[in-house]
Every structure is written in structure tokens, then in C-alpha cells.
Amino acid sequence: MAQSAPTARAPEPPSEDEADDDEDDDDEADALDDTGLGAVEEVLAAAEAQDAAEAAADEEVEQVPTVLEPEPEPTPYERELHAPHVRSTGEPAEIDPDELDPDALKVVLRLHQHGHQAYLVGGCVRDLLLGRKPKDFDVATSAHPNEVRAIFRNCRLIGRRFRLAHVYFKGGKIIEVSTFRANPTELEAASPAAAEDEGDNGGDDLLITHDNVFGTAQQDARRRDFTINGLFYDVSEGRVIDYVRGRRDLDERFIRTIGDPEVRMREDPVRILRAVRFAAKLDLDIESRTYAAMEGAVEDLPRCAPARLLEETFRLIRGGVSAPALKLLDALDALKLLLPPVNAYLKQHGKEGEKTFYAFAQALDRRVAAGEPLDDAILLAALLVPISHSGPPAEPQDGGRPSVSQVVEELLAGFVQSARLPRRIAERCRMLLLAQRTLSGERRRKSAAFRRHPLFGEALTVFEMSVEATGEGREQLEAWKAGEVPPPRAESSEGEGGSEPGGQRKRRRRRRRRRSSGEGAASAGSSGSGAGEA
């Protein structure tokens, strides 16, 4: 005897409380559901896959086994090489050898053993002379890249325009080794053919498009951008080698270009951002002629590779000096080219807008200075919060995908398309900005569900900086930290389109799903309504 099919139970109507929760979820659906608990990992994974595919197509790292061979034990002769505390003249070494990185010393001394010149160079020498702890140690040598790789088993070559050697040590430490280079502009100017070409075109275009010319130690020092970065340190002799009078500028606390500042800035306008970073980071003054040349070269910034400009901009933010650096870029009128929405925000909102924006930048700098690990998505989101709040949300994109303000959407899209900002970073930044409306109480959401959001912790970090910068939203922040859901802000509930005269929020009931052939149309109508009100 055949059994009858079980009768499907009709869904019970939602209770009043459940109906309220449904309304809250409807309000928030376009803000976080597309980037929510289930979809966020898929969105970020897809973005990461695209980044990986593009990186593989534009690979600049030599393909070598992931596990590099360990360094062999030093030979008896190599043990005799060391960094002396006392120079041959009887004077103490100009930099205490105990302050030097032991792995960088190994690289320098091994190159010496094989008959090559090798010096510590650049920022590490500058920082040690200023009494600061260097972030990393770089080496310059007369050895060519392939010769460096032949000397070190734990080495790989990187770079396409100019090959560099990376020597790897335990803990992921990398010592970068570069071959002495010459300034191609000087070499071309000295050649007869260059003189004829200059007569033809006037020699107005000084932008360096190739610099893969090997040279001597002195040529390498002179091709560098600023005198304070052109110092070498000979560890075997315990002395600083100064071809460019960088010691004088360090003592006088000046940033000065090596050579004619107008020529050097036009050769590579990215030096404008580097000068700003050093001035903000080291608390140095920019020499007057150098500053004037920076002002004149700002218009050449668009000629530089967008990826280089973005990376130098991120270095300003990562270094904990975003507030003074961005102020200096604004004074140079460079923000309109580097961060157009920030420039427009500052111009539109005047003194009050400047106060708000730089309060966010200072809150960010304090966290970076305190050693808090913040990735690029958080850094960028923290600076874009005031811009995203200054205008209405953009229309939903891509079939209902939630959007932040139009200028922020365009900025992130531009960074991805032209400046090679990884899509994963751009997507996470957008999600963090979207979450700020929920954290501030402008939109409501179930506390338990929102806390499970993969980016909740990072979004809360950005919100903490917002509270610190503006002094607003402290009650909401404490509620989230205590595991509670903050009450909605009165002005937001009345200001959104779902309010009625008298201040009572209009209740919007969710359509009940029907198990029928018309289900698709009903659900399509419901989602369309929700997207329209977002």
C-alpha cells in the first residue's frame, strides 16, 4: 500500500519581534549582505585570484626553489674579516659595529673576500648617523648581479628594469644588494651624440626612462636623489665615505638634492614624494632651491608610473607621518594629482574640513607609531572615512552591489585599474567603509550576525579612529565593545526615507515567500525594492 506524500507545513507568520528584525535586516541588506557572512570570503577570494593571475603574468622575480640552501660555514680566512671598533688611525669607528646588522655584515665581508668593493649604503647609514634605528640595511657593490648570486646560495635576483640581488636569512630577513650604477643623464650629456640630439629637440625632456648602467662607487653616490641618502659606510675601515657632502646636510638638518634640483626633480618627479617623506619622518627642513624645484615639477607627476606614485603615497601613510606629509603635499598642490577626492574635500569644506581630515590622519599616525599592525586596507579606509561621509551613498552597482560615496568608488577603481592596487585591498577597504554606517548607528543590524562578519574587528578599528578623531560615537563604540548593540541614532532614523510625519519610523514589512511558480517574480520585486531604498 502506497504511502501518501507528507503534507508540507505552511510557514508560521513571523512574530512582531521577528518582523522588526526582518525590517532591520532589509535596511542593511544592500549595505552588507552582498559582502556579508557568506559572500565576503567569496568576494575577497575572487579578488585575490585576479591579483595572483596578474602578478603571474607580470612576474619580476627569478624563478628559484622556494627553500633556499643554507649559507655554508665561514672559511678560516673569512673569520679574519670583521668590522673594527677602532680605525687604523687609532680613532673609534664612525659607526659602532654593534649597531650594524650582523647579516648585512656577513654579506659585505663575503663580497670583500671575493675581491669586490662593498659598502652599507643609503638610509641605514643616514639613520645611524642621526641616532635612529634603521628599518633595513642595504648593500652596494662592484659585483654584478650574477656574480652576487654565484657567491651566495641563499640569493635570488629580482627586477626587470634593473636587476637586484636579494640575500635571504632566517626569519624572512632580506639584505638587498645592488650593483654600483651611473646616472644615465650625466653619461648622455657627456657623449657627442647626446649633444647633437640636444640641438635637435632642445633637451627639454629629462625624465629617466632607463637607468640600467653600471658604474663606480662615486658615480653611484652621485646618481642618488638627496645628499643624505648618498652616504656609504666602509665597515672594514670604520669610516663614512661622503662623495656628495651629505654629512654637512645631516648636521644642518637639510634635505638637498645631489646636483641641480630642477634637473633632478624633472628626471624623476617621484622624488617629490620621497623628499616629503624624509622631511616628515626625520623632522628635517627642505632646502629652499630644492623646495622650489619640487613646486615646479609637480605638474610632471602624471608622467610617472601610477604604481610607483601609489607605493610612495602608501609609504607616507605606513610610516606614521601621514598628517605632516599630506599637509606638505597639499602646500605643494600635489594632492589634486595623487588623491583627487581628498583635495576636493579639503577645498570644498575649508578650514573645518581640514581640521576633520587631519584629525583622522593624526589618529592613524598615533596607532602606527604605537606599533599597531595595520594593513593597507585599514590605512586607506581610515583616511577616506570623512570623504565617504561627506556625500550621499552612490547608486548600487553591479546588479545591486552596495556602494560608498561615488568619489570613493571612483578612487578605488582608479587605483586598481591604473596603479595596480590589489583588488583584495580595494574590496576590503570598501567593505570597511560600508560597515561604518552600521557601527555608528546610522543603520541597524542584528548584533550577533554583524559580529560574525569576517571584517568586524578591522571595521571596529577604523571606527575607533573615527571616534578618536571626531569625539562622536563614543557610546556606540563602548556598546559594541561590551557585546551590546547600540541604539540607532535619532537623526538617522528620521533622516532616511522611511519616516512618517510625527517622527515615527515607517514600518516596512518583508514579503513572505510563496512556494509557487510566481516565487521568482515576488522575490525579484522584493530585492528590487530593498536596493532602491539603499
Side-chain angles (χ1 to χ4, degrees):
M1 180 176 179
Q3 289 184 332
S4 60
T7 304
R9 294 182 57 187
E12 297 181 2
S15 65
E16 192 68 21
D17 290 339
E18 289 173 339
D20 288 340
D21 285 340
D22 286 343
E23 291 172 18
D24 296 337
D25 283 357
D26 281 344
D27 286 346
E28 193 61 30
D30 288 324
L32 280 176
D33 280 356
D34 284 348
T35 61
L37 304 176
V40 63
E41 295 296 347
E42 298 176 8
V43 172
L44 296 181
E48 191 170 20
Q50 284 183 285
D51 294 335
E54 292 180 2
D58 193 29
E59 186 64 59
E60 295 187 2
V61 179
E62 183 183 27
Q63 295 299 319
V64 298
T66 303
V67 180
L68 297 169
E69 297 182 47
E71 274 296 278
E73 290 297 319
T75 65
Y77 175 72
E78 188 176 354
R79 287 194 180 96
E80 297 176 4
L81 297 172
H82 64 282
H85 287 76
V86 180
R87 300 168 60 185
S88 57
T89 59
E91 299 173 319
E94 293 191 67
I95 295 177
D96 185 352
D98 295 335
E99 299 293 326
L100 304 178
D101 183 89
D103 293 322
L105 284 177
K106 290 179 184 177
V107 172
V108 170
L109 298 178
R110 178 72 63 81
L111 289 166
H112 285 179
Q113 182 189 15
H114 285 78
H116 300 288
Q117 289 178 287
Y119 306 113
L120 296 178
V121 65
C124 63
V125 181
R126 175 200 68 216
D127 289 348
L128 287 169
L129 292 175
L130 288 173
R132 302 170 64 95
K133 186 180 173 97
K135 183 182 68 174
D136 48 36
F137 286 76
D138 295 334
V139 175
T141 180
S142 59
H144 288 196
N146 286 329
E147 294 175 316
V148 177
R149 182 176 57 178
I151 294 172
F152 297 95
R153 296 182 188 177
N154 53 335
C155 173
R156 67 175 61 174
L157 303 184
I158 69 164
R160 179 172 296 167
R161 188 175 66 170
F162 190 85
R163 304 293 270 172
L164 298 171
H166 277 181
V167 183
Y168 290 76
F169 291 91
K170 291 180 180 179
K173 182 195 296 184
I174 297 174
I175 303 298
E176 186 172 278
V177 182
S178 62
T179 304
F180 296 146
R181 281 184 280 176
N183 188 338
T185 304
E186 292 182 0
L187 296 179
E188 291 169 2
S191 67
E196 295 178 4
D197 291 341
E198 186 174 338
D200 295 337
N201 58 28
D204 291 334
D205 192 355
L206 299 176
L207 187 72
I208 292 179
T209 56
H210 64 282
D211 61 352
N212 52 345
V213 180
F214 293 135
T216 65
Q218 185 171 2
Q219 288 174 324
D220 190 75
R222 290 191 54 79
R223 75 159 185 89
R224 294 176 182 268
D225 47 13
F226 305 108
T227 60
I228 60 173
N229 293 335
L231 299 170
F232 292 179
Y233 187 66
D234 186 342
V235 298
S236 62
E237 294 291 333
R239 67 187 180 96
V240 174
I241 301 175
D242 184 3
Y243 295 112
V244 293
R245 301 186 69 181
R247 291 295 294 272
R248 174 202 62 184
D249 288 334
L250 273 183
D251 293 339
E252 297 178 358
R253 303 194 68 79
F254 272 130
I255 295 175
R256 189 192 312 268
T257 59
I258 297 172
D260 186 338
E262 291 190 9
V263 172
R264 301 315 300 273
M265 291 298 167
R266 291 174 63 193
E267 285 177 343
D268 186 2
V270 172
R271 289 170 177 158
I272 296 172
L273 278 71
R274 289 174 56 79
V276 167
R277 175 159 58 91
F278 296 138
K281 173 184 174 183
L282 304 174
D283 193 24
L284 303 179
D285 293 324
I286 301 177
E287 182 262 337
S288 58
R289 290 184 62 224
T290 300
Y291 187 86
M294 291 165 62
E295 288 183 307
V298 163
E299 62 185 17
D300 290 330
L301 282 172
R303 304 182 64 194
C304 301
R308 289 188 67 211
L309 293 177
L310 182 64
E311 176 58 26
E312 283 295 335
T313 303
F314 265 117
R315 285 184 179 181
L316 297 175
I317 304 171
R318 296 185 194 119
V321 292
S322 63
L326 291 172
K327 285 181 181 179
L328 187 49
L329 288 174
D330 188 30
L332 290 165
D333 206 22
L335 281 184
K336 66 182 180 182
L337 302 172
L338 300 171
L339 296 169
V342 173
N343 179 72
Y345 175 86
L346 296 176
K347 295 294 185 287
Q348 180 180 354
H349 294 83
K351 294 294 183 183
E352 195 61 32
E354 288 184 16
K355 180 180 177 182
T356 300
F357 177 78
Y358 289 117
F360 275 84
Q362 289 164 358
L364 178 60
D365 289 342
R366 284 190 289 270
R367 286 180 173 261
V368 173
E372 185 171 342
L374 303 175
D375 65 19
D376 288 345
I378 297 178
L379 296 174
L380 189 56
L383 290 179
L384 294 180
V385 167
I387 290 89
S388 66
H389 284 174
S390 64
E395 290 297 322
Q397 301 176 350
D398 300 336
R401 189 184 80 160
S403 303
V404 289
S405 64
Q406 187 65 39
V407 291
V408 174
E409 291 282 356
E410 292 174 355
L411 176 70
L412 294 176
F415 281 166
V416 169
Q417 293 169 5
S418 63
R420 297 185 183 178
L421 177 70
R423 287 178 174 81
R424 183 178 178 87
I425 292 177
E427 197 63 37
R428 289 176 63 233
C429 176
R430 189 181 67 82
M431 294 178 188
L432 294 176
L433 292 172
L434 285 169
Q436 299 307 299
R437 300 187 67 193
T438 301
L439 291 167
S440 65
E442 294 180 47
R443 288 187 179 275
R444 294 187 62 194
R445 186 171 177 83
K446 290 180 180 179
S447 176
F450 186 56
R451 286 180 179 283
R452 291 195 302 270
H453 193 283
L455 297 181
F456 174 78
E458 296 177 6
L460 192 62
T461 297
V462 176
F463 186 58
E464 285 180 319
M465 286 186 272
S466 299
V467 173
E468 185 179 340
T470 64
E472 300 176 359
R474 196 168 301 278
E475 292 182 5
Q476 286 84 355
L477 174 61
E478 295 303 323
W480 286 113
K481 285 185 172 181
E484 303 171 358
V485 63
R489 287 165 51 178
E491 62 271 20
S492 66
S493 63
E494 294 178 6
E496 294 183 4
S499 60
E500 293 180 330
Q504 187 69 26
R505 187 181 179 194
K506 181 180 178 181
R507 172 167 294 176
R508 181 163 49 87
R509 303 299 291 263
R510 172 181 288 182
R511 288 194 180 189
R512 291 174 55 189
R513 297 173 62 87
R514 298 177 181 176
R515 297 182 180 273
S516 65
S517 59
E519 179 179 355
S523 62
S526 176
S527 62
S529 173
E533 294 197 19

